[in-house]
Amino acid sequence: TFTAPDLDSFCLLDHLGLTAVGQRLEPDRAVLECRVTDADPWCRDCGAEGLPRDTVVRKLAHVPLGWRPTTLWVRVRRYRCPDCARVWRQDTSTAAAPRTKLTRHAVLWALKSLVIDRLSIARIA
């Protein structure tokens, strides 16, 4: 039996806490626009509910789909606390470590390609 196609599970986005909202396929690469599934509106200092301020884009390299480099454009919402004026972003630590350019699945894929498949660093990049 077949089920309806699901881009989130096919691209392993559901394990990263992301959902795909758009895609762009080019001859040399694929770009998936994603959003964080879990809202994070509570202030870490005072506990008040923050107000949405704006969104920023975090670009992450992901596991290649069909040997085509894949990039995730993750739209991360920023919040501002009305009580203490603190500004914070949604938590994306399940998708990638802070200040990194690779998703957790991309790091695992690169290590497996290097050790098991014996691909060169240039081919992995």
Side-chain angles (χ1 to χ4, degrees):
T1 62
F2 290 94
T3 60
D6 184 13
L7 187 62
D8 293 343
S9 61
F10 181 75
C11 296
L12 303 173
L13 298 177
D14 50 354
H15 299 289
L16 300 177
L18 303 173
T19 184
V21 294
Q23 68 178 5
R24 185 174 71 224
L25 297 176
E26 298 174 0
D28 58 339
R29 70 180 186 144
V31 179
L32 297 175
E33 182 181 8
C34 303
R35 294 192 189 252
V36 181
T37 56
D38 297 330
D40 190 16
W42 303 104
C43 181
R44 291 160 181 81
D45 287 342
C46 66
E49 186 173 6
L51 301 172
R53 183 177 174 180
D54 59 356
T55 58
V56 293
V57 176
R58 183 174 181 193
K59 296 179 183 178
L60 299 170
H62 192 51
V63 177
L65 299 173
W67 291 102
R68 180 184 297 188
T70 304
T71 305
L72 302 181
W73 285 10
V74 182
R75 297 224 179 252
V76 182
R77 180 167 283 192
R78 290 197 315 178
Y79 294 94
R80 183 178 184 279
C81 181
D83 295 339
C84 66
R86 179 181 175 174
V87 176
W88 69 94
R89 294 180 182 185
Q90 284 178 306
D91 184 25
T92 58
S93 62
T94 55
R99 295 182 297 278
T100 59
K101 301 286 184 186
L102 298 174
T103 63
R104 297 190 185 278
H105 290 303
V107 171
L108 184 62
W109 174 84
L111 290 173
K112 284 181 179 178
S113 298
L114 182 67
V115 175
I116 296 172
D117 298 335
R118 297 177 186 251
L119 292 177
S120 67
I121 299 292
R123 179 67 177 136
I124 293 170

